[in-house]
Amino acid sequence: MTKVLRLHYAPDNASLIVRLALEELGLPYECQLVDRRKAAQKSAAYLQLNPNGTIPVLETPDGALFETAAILLWLADQNAALAPQPGSAQRGVFLTWLFWCSNTLHADLRQYFYPEKIIGPDETHQDQLRRVLQSRLHQHLGMIDTALGSTPGLTDEADPTLLDLYLPCLLRWTKLYANRGPAPWFDLTSYPALHALCHRAEGRASTKAAQTAEGLGSTPFTAPTFATPPEGSAT
């Protein structure tokens, strides 16, 4: 265990979402680079912290935490911020969409990015999986765009929630990694609530800190470019 918060991160990976939360909360924390070029996430030392060998890990006084949504919810509950509090009428719906982001949208994006890990090395099979996932992602994005416009408490311009941090990152990666190829299919402006959310996110101090730390460029969510980090690699 550690007396300080220590974020094990790689630039422009899921750890970015946790960094944004730490910055929004104004918490002191240390960063430990996980060098993906050396497969450091599969090292014996890292696997002691996260047996899945995935990024991120947040070391805390309560022990090492992994799984992005779990880390985010722990931070929110520890600091009574970024989420409706236990007992609030909005808590249940908020948790539903937080875990939907993690278990549905984020999970499908990861399969889209790394189809070989799901269906093997055959490129024809990978293309077929991506076509299925593209259809699912269209449905997901329409669903969450509608929810943001009709469900109070999910996001807040003045007092951001975890979804204000999580969703812009997922949309960034959708644009950068799922929208490549001869027939780009994702247009953020087709989703007005998501587009507005990303635009707001680019004005926050937490985003500015992440831009500097991870080389995210001037418009990391509305018009993202590939990261040019001062250390480590995003892939």
Side-chain angles (χ1 to χ4, degrees), residues 11 14 54 68 92 114 116 149 180 207 217 225 228 235:
T54 54
T68 301
Y114 306 109
E116 70 281 359
R180 291 182 296 180
T207 298
T225 56
T228 55
T235 59

Side-chain angles (χ1 to χ4, degrees), residues 100 134-144 191:
W100 178 89
Q134 182 176 319
S135 177
R136 283 174 56 88
L137 289 167
H138 271 303
Q139 293 175 356
H140 296 339
L141 294 170
M143 187 185 305
I144 188 62
Y191 306 97

